[in-house]
Amino acid sequence: MPRFVILSGPSRIGKSPLTKALARLYPDLWETLQAPVLYNCREPRPGERDDVDYHFRSRDFLESLRGRDGYVVLDVRKDIQALALQDLQAVLASGKDAFFEGNPYIASALMAAPELRETPIVSCFLS
């Protein structure tokens, strides 16, 4: 059964370098992981691509998702981020392990989502 693999920790703790090292040192393992794309209300940073790195949408759009079934929506610093749980479930249905690297508040909300109750979760918090 596919797992949901979560790597979380505070900003600037080293999650991204660790993720890049995982991909470089264990390419066979990395190929079994797929990250669902989160929504974000901020503007793309240089090199980021819409619908690849994030679904960049307006703050109003993300606010409209708050409280709707099937979405986890959280304030992250001064932005709003969201994940459509159906996107996560689609990754798992493909047979790959879903991989999330990011904010611990989102990670906690995802681990508590009733829709994922039956999903095996492997979580690592960097501090």
Side-chain angles (χ1 to χ4, degrees), residues 17-99:
L18 183 59
T19 299
K20 290 175 185 171
L22 173 67
R24 189 179 78 251
L25 297 172
Y26 299 97
D28 292 342
L29 174 62
W30 184 250
E31 288 297 316
T32 69
L33 301 172
Q34 182 177 338
V37 179
L38 275 73
Y39 290 83
N40 199 316
C41 71
R42 68 168 170 75
E43 292 296 315
R45 294 179 182 141
E48 288 183 329
R49 295 171 294 162
D50 189 29
D51 299 329
V52 174
D53 299 295
Y54 286 99
H55 299 295
F56 294 102
R57 302 295 185 268
S58 71
R59 180 174 289 275
D60 288 341
F61 175 80
L62 292 181
E63 286 290 357
S64 77
L65 300 178
R66 230 183 257 280
R68 285 180 51 187
D69 286 343
Y71 289 91
V72 172
V73 181
L74 288 163
D75 296 299
V76 178
R77 293 177 287 281
K78 295 179 183 179
D79 300 324
I80 300 172
Q81 291 185 0
L83 178 66
L85 293 173
Q86 68 183 18
D87 292 350
L88 177 59
Q89 290 167 329
V91 170
L92 296 167
S94 77
K96 287 193 167 193
D97 289 331
F99 179 72

